[in-house]
Amino acid sequence: MTSNSKNIVPHLWFDKEAKEAAAFYTSVFPDSQVCSEIVVKDTPSGDCDLVSFDLWGQRFMSISAGPYFSFNPSISFMVNFDPARDEHASKRIEEVWEKLSDGGQVLMPFDAYPFSEKYGWIQDKYGVSWQLILTNPEGEERPPILPSMMFTGENAGKAEEAVQCYLSIFKDSKEGVSAKYPAGMEPNQEGTVMFSDFMLENVWLTAMDSALEHGFQFNEAVSLLVNCDTQEEIDYYFEQLSAVPEAEQCGWLKDKYGVSWQIVPKDLDEMMSEHATQEQIDRVNQAMMPMKKLDMKTLRKAYEG
């Protein structure tokens, strides 16, 4: 699949650094580029930059929409450096670590661990978290970048339940590997999820439990945007996932674990891209503002004027 046909896309909410961060990330990762940059005018946060970019085959969306949410490691990005696919993997992981470390904060030192001879967890200068890992070439192949959910606080111990929930909701989904905490890893309970991965809509993600005191939970800084072909799909995902009525706004919702999702029509990408005129973007945005669940027909009508 090409990156831009992916149905689940990580979305990053910045205060005002979306363009700067996209330029930085595309300089850090191989095979990466900024795909589009537009300005959405007159939102509740004023004029917002909306940027889409590809990192190593993974599409990202980002927005500069004010200082309302702060990034935290509850959703990070696992980056696989696979010696079986890239002879320079071992050197490349060190280069990427060095670039992401600049102005960042180390969460787990870059070092050898039982599960990998080279691994580190870093929060970069913008606050976004990355787990870099030299993967075992024996293992089943995974994409280079996977969104990674960490279930903490009141969610600790719910990773397995959440994964089963998502697998039941999304089509083209399957379970991958799963490793459980053994006894003696307190405060993590034996049998909770140390690491697991799973595929939704042909996109791989990972999930883990952590019972340590983290002081953060899922929030809107990182959301997962679901591109839908039909209004029926939008209705279905909205109904299946939304668990916090007051969080429903402009296609956004929160599920019962607090993860934020955006359920949007696939062609919204085209309506809010560099191919659209500023007038079209403004009309679509104004039509979208009062909506909770998005209405494809109304948005299309606004776009076509």
Side-chain angles (χ1 to χ4, degrees):
M1 288 184 89
T2 56
S3 57
N4 58 359
S5 69
K6 290 220 169 124
N7 288 347
I8 297 180
V9 178
H11 182 284
L12 308 176
W13 180 304
F14 293 91
D15 176 5
K16 43 175 134 20
E17 305 83 4
K19 279 167 80 163
E20 183 191 311
F24 172 64
Y25 297 140
T26 53
S27 75
V28 169
F29 293 98
D31 306 328
S32 302
Q33 78 252 2
V34 174
C35 307
S36 97
E37 290 182 352
I38 64 161
V39 177
V40 184
K41 294 186 183 310
D42 300 326
T43 76
S45 311
D47 293 356
C48 299
D49 292 317
L50 195 62
V51 186
S52 78
F53 54 99
D54 286 346
L55 298 183
W56 214 353
Q58 171 67 57
R59 171 64 51 96
F60 283 79
M61 299 285 298
S62 63
I63 192 168
S64 289
Y68 301 106
F69 310 109
S70 299
F71 292 111
N72 70 50
S74 60
I75 296 186
S76 60
F77 297 96
M78 175 82 68
V79 188
N80 288 318
F81 295 81
D82 185 347
R85 280 187 283 180
D86 175 7
E87 58 180 332
H88 305 298
S90 192
K91 184 165 170 278
R92 204 192 292 272
I93 188 173
E94 293 183 4
E95 290 167 354
V96 171
W97 175 265
E98 199 163 309
K99 289 175 182 169
L100 290 175
S101 300
D102 183 22
Q105 184 188 350
V106 174
L107 303 178
M108 278 178 78
F110 187 70
D111 206 346
Y113 292 87
F115 52 85
S116 173
E117 62 188 71
K118 288 184 181 178
Y119 168 88
W121 194 334
I122 188 91
Q123 199 164 12
D124 69 29
K125 60 187 170 187
Y126 301 107
V128 179
S129 299
W130 306 86
Q131 299 182 62
L132 308 188
I133 185 164
L134 194 67
T135 42
N136 168 12
E138 309 298 296
E140 191 188 342
E141 200 173 286
R142 292 289 184 265
I145 299 181
L146 296 78
S148 302
M149 302 178 176
M150 180 161 62
F151 291 77
T152 65
E154 63 204 31
N155 277 327
K158 292 185 182 171
E160 189 167 19
E161 175 198 311
V163 169
Q164 294 306 322
C165 172
Y166 298 146
L167 289 170
S168 73
I169 292 171
F170 287 91
K171 47 187 189 296
D172 297 324
S173 63
K174 69 171 184 178
E175 257 178 292
V177 300
S178 180
K180 303 289 172 64
Y181 285 108
M185 297 274 288
E186 284 73 21
N188 289 299
Q189 285 185 347
E190 182 180 359
T192 56
V193 177
M194 186 155 64
F195 175 83
S196 67
D197 63 13
F198 59 103
M199 189 181 83
L200 307 177
E201 292 277 2
N202 296 310
V203 175
W204 282 98
L205 303 97
T206 83
M208 66 177 285
D209 287 307
S210 177
L212 298 166
E213 272 304 319
H214 290 289
F216 56 72
Q217 279 292 358
F218 298 121
N219 70 6
E220 292 84 344
V222 181
S223 58
L224 296 168
L225 186 143
V226 182
N227 286 305
C228 299
D229 288 316
T230 63
Q231 187 65 45
E232 286 72 34
E233 271 189 16
I234 291 175
D235 296 349
Y236 167 77
Y237 285 124
F238 221 83
E239 189 180 325
Q240 294 290 318
L241 287 166
S242 184
V244 185
E246 57 273 23
E248 297 178 357
Q249 192 181 354
C250 302
W252 289 67
L253 61 82
K254 273 191 184 193
D255 69 20
K256 60 184 171 186
Y257 308 104
V259 177
S260 288
W261 300 79
Q262 296 181 58
I263 313 298
V264 305
K266 201 168 261 177
D267 53 5
L268 189 63
D269 208 20
E270 165 213 339
M271 297 185 214
M272 304 286 270
S273 76
E274 290 170 334
H275 306 300
T277 65
Q278 189 63 54
E279 287 71 30
Q280 285 175 315
I281 292 167
D282 293 346
R283 286 199 305 265
V284 171
N285 183 51
Q286 290 309 313
M288 188 160 55
M289 277 297 140
M291 294 179 182
K292 290 186 174 184
K293 184 174 68 181
L294 298 187
D295 180 321
M296 282 175 77
K297 272 200 187 114
T298 307
L299 293 175
R300 174 55 69 180
K301 217 188 263 175
Y303 178 71
E304 287 165 0

